[in-house]
Amino acid sequence: MSGVEIRELECFLVLAEELHFGRAGERLYVSQSRVSQLLAALEQRIGARLVERTSRRVRLTPLGERFHAELSPAHAELAGVVERARESARGVEGRIRIGFQGTADARLMAAITAFQKRHPGCVAEIAEVPFADPFGAVRHGEVDAAIVLLPVAEPDLVLGPLFSRQQQTVAVSVRHPFASRTSLTPADLVDTPLISASPPAPAYWREAQAPSPVPAPAVRTLQEGLTLVAADRAAMLLCRPTAEYHGRQDVVFVPVDGLPDSVLGMVWHRDGETERVRAFARALTEAGAETEAADDAEAPAAA
């Protein structure tokens, strides 16, 4: 890096995308001749040509292609480091958009309240994440982070704090044979059609929400699923708070003993980790710990 100017590297990256000196100059707000000067200076430092330029076209040399492939992610990472440092220097301000699946339960609302008190200069906004697209809003930049059902195995996403471990229930029509049961076991569900999410939810995630080999409808939203349940078309697994929130007279929610608990987790994009996201993750972790402590304190009395 001795003697290399950031402006020269940025010029090369833009030129590699545009393959046109005039358009590269427009993007960089400099003249075409200045683009040529910056490229020439970089090539002199490296000791070889990076770009071939003729009267008809501009293209990268083989060395230029390799240099671009290695430089581009390194430059993006460097820009991210600078931006994160700027955010840390400014503190937590602006706004943070949090998506949620199912129900914005007490722990999430407690985290939002604690976050707002601690960071009054940052407004927390919440938006519902579609049941059938748990990760899309984060990937598309519609939210800064999302509270989603596990599992999460997305290489481009970071899984942060986990919380809200809840027993699973199965939603069935009031006419279903399970409606009169006080509880069920996983064996009871083996031959039961369970409503799943439709794509773009990944296959592993859909299977976790509907662990039954029996064919059943796939839906985009929870309301679609509950409507099919009410029509006695199939059953649907839901965590207890979501079941309680979406309670309706034509649907019964029966606890299932022996299934792994439903667990929520906070996720964000690897390229979108900001001081605001980290601060909210801390607030969520603390809110979860406080709620669990309160639950533990009430347990003996409940017993």
Side-chain angles (χ1 to χ4, degrees):
M1 289 293 289
S2 176
V4 175
E5 298 287 341
I6 291 294
R7 193 61 169 166
E8 296 170 4
L9 299 177
E10 291 176 342
C11 175
F12 171 75
L13 288 171
V14 172
L15 184 58
E17 293 178 7
E18 296 291 345
L19 295 178
H20 190 282
F21 280 74
R23 290 195 297 270
E26 291 175 1
R27 282 182 55 181
L28 294 166
Y29 300 100
V30 298
S31 66
Q32 184 171 326
S33 61
R34 180 57 177 159
V35 174
S36 298
Q37 291 171 1
L38 290 168
L39 175 63
L42 179 61
E43 289 179 329
Q44 185 175 2
R45 296 181 197 279
I46 290 177
R49 297 289 297 276
L50 299 173
V51 176
E52 290 180 352
R53 181 182 187 183
T54 68
S55 59
R56 293 188 176 184
R57 66 177 181 175
V58 175
R59 68 179 182 181
L60 299 181
T61 65
L63 175 60
E65 291 178 351
R66 292 196 300 273
F67 184 57
H68 177 259
E70 296 180 6
L71 176 62
S72 184
H75 181 268
E77 177 61 25
L78 178 61
V81 169
V82 173
E83 181 58 29
R84 289 191 289 273
R86 290 177 59 191
E87 286 205 351
S88 296
R90 290 197 303 264
V92 179
E93 58 185 27
R95 68 169 181 160
I96 183 169
R97 299 159 299 171
I98 303 296
F100 68 92
Q101 263 192 317
T103 306
D105 67 6
R107 298 184 186 194
L108 176 56
M109 298 312 298
I112 291 174
T113 300
F115 176 85
Q116 292 279 207
K117 288 182 178 179
R118 190 173 303 167
H119 307 288
C122 186
V123 177
E125 301 176 355
I126 60 174
E128 187 173 0
V129 174
F131 176 64
D133 193 10
F135 312 122
V138 173
R139 287 200 171 108
H140 300 150
E142 297 167 6
V143 297
D144 300 295
I147 310 301
V148 299
L149 283 165
L150 267 56
V152 176
E154 306 300 297
D156 60 332
L157 301 184
V158 176
L159 177 58
L162 308 182
F163 69 108
S164 194
R165 294 183 179 274
Q166 299 287 344
Q167 182 181 29
Q168 298 203 61
T169 68
V170 64
V172 294
S173 163
V174 292
R175 301 181 299 280
H176 194 281
F178 289 163
S180 60
R181 299 275 296 272
T182 57
S183 66
L184 298 168
T185 68
D188 294 321
L189 303 181
V190 170
D191 297 322
T192 302
L194 293 176
I195 292 171
S196 64
S198 62
Y204 75 86
W205 191 90
R206 299 197 306 269
E207 292 168 3
Q209 313 312 320
S212 172
V214 182
V219 299
R220 294 169 298 172
T221 69
L222 283 175
Q223 288 304 322
E224 288 179 9
L226 288 172
T227 299
L228 291 175
V229 169
D232 208 12
R233 293 275 305 279
M236 188 175 188
L237 280 175
L238 296 172
C239 67
R240 183 173 55 81
T242 301
E244 293 172 351
Y245 180 81
H246 292 280
R248 44 190 294 173
Q249 294 182 346
D250 50 1
V251 174
V252 176
F253 299 94
V254 185
V256 182
D257 298 326
L259 278 182
D261 287 344
S262 171
V263 183
L264 294 175
M266 177 179 170
V267 298
W268 59 87
H269 200 278
R270 291 192 180 277
D271 296 333
E273 183 170 322
T274 64
E275 186 60 27
R276 293 187 297 273
V277 169
R278 289 191 289 270
F280 192 85
R282 290 192 293 270
L284 189 59
T285 299
E286 293 168 5
E290 291 174 0
T291 304
E292 288 178 3
D295 292 344
D296 291 342
E298 294 177 1

